[in-house]
């Protein structure tokens, strides 16, 4: 049985942050770190870090801490970074171009193989030496190439139809930047990146902080 099926989504979503901080520690030449020291770096409590990591095995030793290189590699394994993932990008507007030009993805095994758009002004242009193809050829391309992940960077009106083409051609991972919730088969995984929702969350927290400050002033005046 896949052990990760019993792990909460909250823990899984914290793993990339561990991975990022451990990478920076490795770059800085740090070889070993305690859960307390890591908590000061990452912002989680030491207890939370130990609980999260214990979900996947025994990585540290009491009084000895974590070997950063080993822990980094083990979390990379848990995140599936021992594999290479072939991806297609649909929509080469501003967001799509930003995704396509982010070199780090390829360094950790996520390779964009094809880019598609319906804008005739963009078709035939290249992003990092990948030619933008007419979206009408997407289905044919998917049939001829084994693709793991589809990146959707189109309008909300077009997103579901693009998603349907992807899933009909055995793409089982969808990275969705369109501001809409997609309907997919049970065996397809969708990770949504709703930029407006993220911004509104920030707005809410800023507003809550302002209200808290104003309340404190009123309390003092009373």
């Amino acid at each position: 049985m896949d052990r990760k099926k019993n792990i909460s989504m909250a823990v899984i979503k914290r793993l990339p942050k561990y991975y990022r901080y451990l990478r920076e520690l490795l770059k800085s030449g740090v070889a070993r770190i305690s859960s307390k020291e890591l908590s000061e770096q990452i912002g989680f409590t030491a207890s939370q870090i130990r609980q999260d990591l214990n979900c996947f095995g025994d990585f540290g030793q009491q009084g000895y801490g974590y070997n950063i290189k080993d822990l980094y590699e083990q979390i990379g394994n848990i995140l599936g970074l021992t594999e290479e993932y072939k991806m297609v990008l649909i929509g080469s507007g501003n967001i799509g171009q930003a995704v396509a030009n982010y070199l780090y993805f390829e360094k950790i095994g996520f390779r964009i193989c094809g880019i598609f758009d319906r804008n005739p002004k963009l078709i035939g242009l290249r992003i990092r030496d990948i030619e933008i193809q007419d979206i009408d050829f997407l289905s044919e391309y998917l049939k001829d190439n084994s693709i793991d992940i589809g990146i959707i960077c189109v309008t909300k009106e077009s997103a579901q139809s693009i998603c349907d083409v992807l899933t009909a051609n055995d793409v089982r991972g969808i990275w969705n930047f369109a501001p809409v919730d997609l309907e997919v088969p049970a065996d397809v995984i969708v990770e949504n990146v709703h930029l407006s929702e993220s911004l509104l969350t920030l707005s809410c927290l800023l507003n809550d902080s302002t209200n808290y400050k104003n309340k404190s002033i009123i309390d003092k005046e009373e």
Side-chain angles (χ1 to χ4, degrees), residues 100-161:
N101 281 305
Y102 191 47
L103 299 178
Y104 178 66
F105 295 145
E106 194 162 312
K107 291 180 180 178
I108 58 175
F110 296 87
R111 183 166 62 91
I112 295 177
C113 304
I115 302 175
F116 296 84
D117 207 294
R118 66 173 74 256
N119 186 342
K121 294 181 179 179
L122 297 176
I123 295 169
L125 299 179
R126 291 180 175 271
I127 301 177
R128 293 182 54 224
D129 207 35
I130 303 173
E131 182 177 347
I132 301 173
Q133 302 180 57
D134 192 316
I135 203 166
D136 289 344
F137 298 115
L138 175 61
S139 184
E140 180 182 346
Y141 181 89
L142 294 173
K143 286 182 173 67
D144 293 338
N145 296 272
S146 179
I147 298 298
D148 303 296
I149 297 171
I151 309 170
I152 297 178
C153 298
V154 300
T155 64
K156 64 180 181 180
E157 292 79 13
S158 302
Q160 185 62 57
S161 61

Side-chain angles (χ1 to χ4, degrees), residues 1-14:
M1 183 176 65
D2 186 351
R3 190 175 183 180
K4 280 189 281 189
K5 290 182 179 178
N6 299 318
I7 308 300
S8 76
M9 185 57 66
V11 173
I12 290 172
K13 283 186 173 290
R14 285 194 287 269

Side-chain angles (χ1 to χ4, degrees), residues 32-205:
R32 189 168 294 280
I33 196 168
S34 68
S35 57
K36 181 176 182 299
E37 291 168 331
L38 187 55
S39 74
E40 293 168 355
Q41 293 270 343
I42 203 169
F44 304 149
T45 66
S47 175
Q48 181 72 74
I49 291 170
R50 290 193 296 270
Q51 289 177 36
D52 286 352
L53 298 180
N54 284 341
C55 290
F56 302 97
D58 298 323
F59 294 116
Q61 299 178 24
Q62 189 171 2
Y64 191 61
Y66 298 104
N67 180 302
I68 291 177
K69 184 175 184 294
D70 288 347
L71 183 57
Y72 177 74
E73 290 175 352
Q74 289 295 327
I75 291 179
N77 290 339
I78 294 166
L79 290 170
L81 300 182
T82 55
E83 307 291 332
E84 181 180 87
Y85 298 91
K86 296 168 66 176
M87 308 191 295
V88 291
L89 171 67
I90 302 93
S92 53
N94 292 335
I95 293 176
Q97 290 181 35
V99 172
N101 281 305
Y102 191 47
L103 299 178
Y104 178 66
F105 295 145
E106 194 162 312
K107 291 180 180 178
I108 58 175
F110 296 87
R111 183 166 62 91
I112 295 177
C113 304
I115 302 175
F116 296 84
D117 207 294
R118 66 173 74 256
N119 186 342
K121 294 181 179 179
L122 297 176
I123 295 169
L125 299 179
R126 291 180 175 271
I127 301 177
R128 293 182 54 224
D129 207 35
I130 303 173
E131 182 177 347
I132 301 173
Q133 302 180 57
D134 192 316
I135 203 166
D136 289 344
F137 298 115
L138 175 61
S139 184
E140 180 182 346
Y141 181 89
L142 294 173
K143 286 182 173 67
D144 293 338
N145 296 272
S146 179
I147 298 298
D148 303 296
I149 297 171
I151 309 170
I152 297 178
C153 298
V154 300
T155 64
K156 64 180 181 180
E157 292 79 13
S158 302
Q160 185 62 57
S161 61
I162 295 299
C163 179
D164 292 343
V165 173
L166 292 168
T167 57
N169 288 281
D170 297 324
V171 177
R172 292 294 171 256
I174 306 292
W175 200 18
N176 176 39
F177 285 81
V180 63
D181 294 325
L182 301 171
E183 296 181 6
V184 298
D187 61 342
V188 173
I189 299 171
V190 178
E191 179 66 21
N192 293 306
V193 185
H194 292 334
L195 299 180
S196 61
E197 291 182 11
S198 180
L199 184 60
L200 290 175
T201 300
L202 176 60
S203 172
C204 178
L205 294 172

